[in-house]
Amino acid sequence: MNQPLRFALNRMVAPRLTLPEFIELAVALKADAIEIRNDLEGVEIEDGTPPQEVRRLCAARGIQVLSINALYPFDLWNDERRAQALRLAAYARDCGARGLVLCPLNQLDDPRSVAERNAGLRTALTELATILREHGLLGFIEPLGFEECSLRRKRKAVEAVRAIGGLDVFRLVHDTFHHHLAGEQEFFPELTGLVHISGVEDRAVPLASIRDGHRVLVGKGDILGNRAQIETLLERGYSGYLSFEPFAESVHALADIRQALGASIDHLRHALA
């Protein structure tokens, strides 16, 4: 590898820290970018922090906001989703974020046919493209690898984006967890705008039963193939951020998240050297 790894921190890394503490964590790790979320109680955005305050705090420490994570379920387009998208887009613009993460419906009892899902996806992307252009944002589409998800693989997202003429405003999120769960073999580095990384080390759980709660920091015991996935992306031209996104309570409860993240960063740098 002939380029340095660029790390970022998703708010899910440390949901119990205040925003200033979270920013200082990124600074201490020499990670110059973060993602904030709209699904965590007690912190921004849910606590009412104005977007201008997020922008001010980040700018003061040289931190870029990559995204707000996430508009969900973006592919079920209706008046409620439009209003939600407009609120998030305005917040993203005002806090200085590059874009919005877009997550598809992940629900076992989705009654729609395949054709209806495909049509819904294209309708949503068409509507979102206008909103994103008006706000100067990118839309980061994140397929979820769970069997019940309406959009499991990146190929389907790429085909839909191309069909609606949205290559100017849409990018993919390559999530190493979801890529593995979906059994994906295809990579789209030229259309990838963001990479989410997390590891799973529990070998006793069947693949179909792995959920967000199993997602820890990437280490030697990882069974998702993070090293191989990242290596492939880098070799094929991806040069963006690798954003840590562990959901496991065992990570959130760590007494020293800085040390744990530092160890994971060192592991990845060594593995990809």
Side-chain angles (χ1 to χ4, degrees):
M1 188 187 70
N2 55 14
Q3 61 177 313
L5 300 178
R6 303 173 69 193
F7 291 104
L9 302 184
N10 187 290
R11 196 64 164 97
M12 191 58 73
V13 165
R16 295 168 190 168
L17 296 183
T18 65
L19 180 58
E21 290 170 340
F22 183 63
I23 291 170
E24 289 307 312
L25 174 65
V27 170
L29 293 164
K30 296 182 171 57
D32 63 355
I34 63 171
E35 296 179 85
I36 59 176
R37 302 183 69 98
N38 63 323
D39 59 353
L40 293 173
E41 294 184 2
V43 298
E44 73 302 327
I45 299 171
E46 287 294 319
D47 68 352
T49 300
Q52 295 81 3
E53 179 67 1
V54 175
R55 180 190 285 264
R56 183 188 69 81
L57 289 170
C58 288
R61 301 299 282 139
I63 297 294
Q64 178 183 6
V65 182
L66 295 178
S67 79
I68 295 177
N69 192 339
L71 177 65
Y72 173 85
F74 86 88
D75 56 336
L76 279 186
W77 195 258
N78 51 32
D79 289 342
E80 178 187 1
R81 199 71 59 245
R82 179 188 297 278
Q84 182 186 12
L86 287 168
R87 287 194 303 271
L88 288 176
Y91 196 103
R93 177 197 61 205
D94 293 346
C95 79
R98 288 182 60 203
L100 297 176
V101 172
L102 310 172
C103 290
L105 182 67
N106 189 59
Q107 188 171 299
L108 284 169
D109 58 353
D110 182 359
R112 297 175 300 163
S113 67
V114 172
E116 289 171 332
R117 291 183 184 189
N118 290 339
L121 173 62
R122 296 188 182 197
T123 295
L125 291 176
T126 299
E127 297 289 338
L128 279 166
T130 299
I131 293 172
L132 293 167
R133 290 175 185 129
E134 289 175 348
H135 289 79
L137 301 171
L138 292 173
F140 299 111
I141 305 169
E142 182 169 13
L144 306 180
F146 302 120
E147 291 182 356
E148 64 270 24
C149 184
S150 61
L151 179 60
R152 294 189 71 198
R153 295 183 175 89
K154 294 183 283 294
R155 165 64 64 182
K156 184 176 175 181
V158 169
E159 290 173 350
V161 168
R162 286 177 172 155
I164 63 99
L167 289 173
D168 59 319
V169 288
F170 291 110
R171 298 292 183 271
L172 298 172
V173 176
H174 180 108
D175 186 296
T176 58
F177 172 80
H178 290 297
H179 181 89
H180 181 81
L181 249 59
E184 280 201 276
Q185 302 299 318
E186 289 188 285
F187 291 76
F188 299 89
E190 73 284 1
L191 296 178
T192 299
L194 182 61
V195 175
H196 283 163
I197 60 174
S198 58
V200 171
E201 298 185 346
D202 191 340
R203 297 176 180 273
V205 181
L207 184 65
S209 299
I210 294 176
R211 287 295 182 266
D212 281 332
H214 294 98
R215 298 171 67 173
V216 296
L217 296 173
V218 183
K220 293 180 180 178
D222 175 48
I223 62 174
L224 300 181
N226 270 272
R227 184 202 60 76
Q229 289 188 47
I230 295 169
E231 188 172 59
T232 297
L233 285 165
L234 296 176
E235 288 177 347
R236 297 183 185 178
Y238 179 72
S239 60
Y241 285 95
L242 308 174
S243 185
F244 285 97
E245 193 187 31
F247 282 73
E249 175 60 25
S250 60
V251 175
H252 301 167
L254 286 171
D256 192 345
I257 185 61
R258 175 181 170 181
Q259 186 278 329
L261 279 164
S264 187
I265 288 172
D266 288 344
H267 165 75
L268 285 166
R269 283 180 173 152
H270 177 75
L272 293 160

